[in-house]
Amino acid sequence: MKVAIYARYSSDQQRDASITDQFRMCRLRAEKEGWRVVEEYSDHSISGASMIQRPGIQALVMDSTRGRFDLVLAEALDRISRDQEDIAGIYKRMRYADVKMFTLSEGEISELHVGLKGTMNALFLKDLADKTRRGQRGRVEAGKSGGGNSYGYDVVKKFDGDGEPSRGDRTINAAQAEVVRRIFRDYAAGKSAKAIAMALNKDGIPAPSGGDWGFSTINGNPKRGNGILNNEMYVGRIVWNRQRFIKDPDTGKRQARPNPEEDWVIQEVPELRILDDDLWNAVKARQKTNTVARDARGIADVRKVNHRRRPKYLFSGLTKCACCGGGYSAISKELIGCSTARNKGTCDNRMNIRRDELESRVLNALRTRLVDPDLFAEFCDAYTRETNRLRMESGAGIDKAEAELKRIAREEEKLMDLYMRDAISIEAVKERGDKLRARKAELQDFLASTDEPPPLLHPSMALQYRARVQQLYETLQSDDETQRIEAAEIIRSLIDRIVLTPGEDRIEIDVQGDLAGILTLSAQRKNPAADAAGAQVKMVAGVGFEPTTFRL
């Protein structure tokens, strides 16, 4: 019986040793049952409420379809998942793959376990969430913080009469409180949030996260009550339960949902007041009236920033500033510039570039520069030789294993023949037969788990590259939006990053791409804009196969 062990510990059990303990207990049970452990999977510090963000369980499910093991062993069913839908889905996939599930707590898992334990685990999660919220509400009503710490305050660490840690106590941090007052005074005087952030960065004042200040840290979201300008604790008032969080069933990520105002819990804490009412009211008045105001550089105010959905351009997220490493973003309809320089003032790169010029130069380079005969032929030759070497090594291992299996079969026949002629004792037959069967099982497992070697590559495939990229380039001009999006994604997949370096009179563009991925694109025989999205495969084969860089 080939066994795969799965272990997990959640964020409320921050102990790496928990994984080791689960593996150890499962190995002991496997040894007792005579099972052979062939794989181990784990997820560290990840909740069992969703399997979407858990690479360990995803790999387990994927490998089950490949016949790598016959049984999944875990400490308990709630280690695999606490979500009813996920447990049922995993169980269904394992049954389809003819893989059994077994836990130390429940034994062999059946439909009954899936139904009852799934319900119990779901109730446990709900009860845990309810208890947490009750505790938070109790702390708020006692004049304490119900969640994380806010800028301007320090956490007070102390213990109650029973020796248990007392949570939620805060005290004013004098230095940070003065920064808060400065921000409110500057904003009330007419300065924009971006100008305030740049001044704080210039003076070397660390942001709440410890890095640089940004305008969004100051503006926040008035409806959600976050951001420096919207924190009511600064006027001695704690507002709790403004919003709730619900997990997206498709992504597993938490999404904020606002609660009705009548559900808010508001508690006065005058001892935590930092601002007077006049300054707070002046800032609130300006926030209400300046909903469409713009600062000196034409950047929209907080309402515009929060509600405008910017379109995704061809190279969005790929362009980086060589000076600070930050990203480039749209500063107008035609221009893009360094976001750090414009929003934080900690970068000196003030040179902008037209978006259409950047796209044109990069696309032309992909069509021409990367098909330089010397560069491409050299890489393709090295890539082909390395791939074929790996293929031959893999093929040789498979051929050797198959040949040894045939030899074992002949030896087994020879043993039986010797026994039938009384030329060897039954003890000797058994001893030698056990060794042959053990080796035979190892070889069969090796062949079952070894993928077929990749097909041979031919250097002439590089000749297809220009046609493929040209086809993608033409598809970008198509009237079919679906085809344009797919073509854009394939082109983006050829590029790791685009580094923009300001020069004396123009911006230098360094494009870092994956030549192995380019060869993959070249080998495709179908329309890449329609069939190849997501088909990129990176190959790392040692020196000489690093992502290539060329300058425009």
Side-chain angles (χ1 to χ4, degrees), residues 135-152:
Q136 291 175 335
R137 180 166 189 149
R139 289 198 295 272
V140 171
E141 292 177 345
K144 300 181 179 183
S145 174
N149 192 29
S150 296
Y151 185 78

Side-chain angles (χ1 to χ4, degrees), residues 23-164:
F23 279 154
R24 178 173 54 82
M25 297 303 296
C26 288
R27 290 194 202 100
L28 289 174
R29 183 58 181 268
E31 183 179 352
K32 178 180 178 181
E33 299 289 344
W35 300 334
R36 185 162 56 91
V37 177
V38 296
E39 299 286 353
E40 291 181 345
Y41 304 85
S42 63
D43 286 307
H44 295 248
S45 187
I46 300 178
S47 169
S50 174
M51 63 177 283
I52 297 174
Q53 303 296 326
R54 294 159 59 192
I57 197 69
Q58 296 282 6
L60 174 74
V61 172
M62 185 177 297
D63 287 348
S64 70
T65 63
R66 300 172 180 171
R68 300 179 72 92
F69 44 80
D70 308 310
L71 182 141
V72 174
L73 178 61
E75 182 183 51
L77 193 59
D78 62 8
R79 294 301 87 201
I80 295 176
S81 181
R82 292 186 188 270
D83 183 88
Q84 290 175 288
E85 182 181 359
D86 288 345
I87 290 177
I90 293 171
Y91 180 75
K92 184 184 297 184
R93 288 175 175 84
M94 292 301 161
R95 285 196 59 186
Y96 179 76
D98 200 21
V99 174
K100 296 181 179 179
M101 296 176 64
F102 191 99
T103 69
L104 304 182
S105 299
E106 294 91 6
E108 185 171 345
I109 301 302
S110 65
E111 286 85 352
L112 185 63
H113 293 96
V114 172
L116 292 179
K117 295 292 289 189
T119 301
M120 291 173 63
N121 289 333
L123 291 175
F124 168 80
L125 286 176
K126 185 177 185 304
D127 183 57
L128 180 63
D130 290 341
K131 288 180 179 178
T132 301
R133 291 184 62 80
R134 285 197 297 271
Q136 291 175 335
R137 180 166 189 149
R139 289 198 295 272
V140 171
E141 292 177 345
K144 300 181 179 183
S145 174
N149 192 29
S150 296
Y151 185 78
Y153 302 94
D154 291 327
V155 176
V156 177
K157 296 181 179 180
K158 62 180 183 180
F159 298 89
D160 58 23
D162 298 328
E164 294 294 326

Side-chain angles (χ1 to χ4, degrees), residues 413-431:
E413 292 178 0
K414 185 177 178 181
L415 272 178
M416 292 303 299
D417 183 56
L418 290 173
Y419 175 71
M420 294 298 294
R421 290 186 295 163
D422 294 329
I424 190 173
S425 66
I426 185 62
E427 291 80 8
V429 171
K430 185 177 184 304
E431 179 182 359

